Amino acid sequence: MRFSSDLERQLNGYGLTTAHILYRIPDFESVLQTYVWQDYDLAPEFPQMRKFLDFWQTNLDGPLHSVRFTHKRLIGPNEWRQVEIMSQGVV
């Protein structure tokens, strides 16, 4: 499903996911490097993060050491409501 804005994603249940990735440098296996990834994603499956990590393991040389992540829904169902504004014609 494609959304036209970040707000539309949030209204459809997406939350902000941040992953702190530690990986090994290919030429120096004892050295760990860090990378921070962030995107809107759906808990608990996290399809966007899984897609990124699959891409990493398939296409990049630095093997993953560990991944820590947090997830926060920025807009909950009880935090917004639709308001219809009725305009009255002036005679």
Side-chain angles (χ1 to χ4, degrees), residues 12-32:
N12 281 288
Y14 281 72
L16 190 61
T17 302
T18 304
H20 180 249
I21 301 167
L22 289 177
Y23 64 98
R24 298 189 185 279
I25 296 177
D27 294 337
F28 304 97
E29 291 282 324
S30 62
V31 177
L32 292 175

Side-chain angles (χ1 to χ4, degrees), residues 21-91:
I21 301 167
L22 289 177
Y23 64 98
R24 298 189 185 279
I25 296 177
D27 294 337
F28 304 97
E29 291 282 324
S30 62
V31 177
L32 292 175
Q33 186 72 17
T34 187
Y35 182 83
V36 176
W37 173 90
Q38 190 172 61
D39 201 354
Y40 289 102
D41 212 349
L42 285 169
E45 293 85 15
F46 300 104
Q48 299 294 348
M49 184 173 63
R50 290 183 185 276
K51 180 179 173 183
F52 176 77
L53 294 174
D54 289 343
F55 169 83
W56 183 299
Q57 291 179 318
T58 304
N59 297 300
L60 301 180
D61 291 334
L64 295 175
H65 175 271
S66 60
V67 178
R68 292 182 301 153
F69 66 94
T70 61
H71 177 79
K72 174 68 175 157
R73 287 190 63 182
L74 302 176
I75 297 178
N78 61 344
E79 296 176 9
W80 74 280
R81 64 187 173 101
Q82 183 174 354
V83 176
E84 290 187 29
I85 299 175
M86 304 282 271
S87 63
Q88 296 181 358
V90 177
V91 180

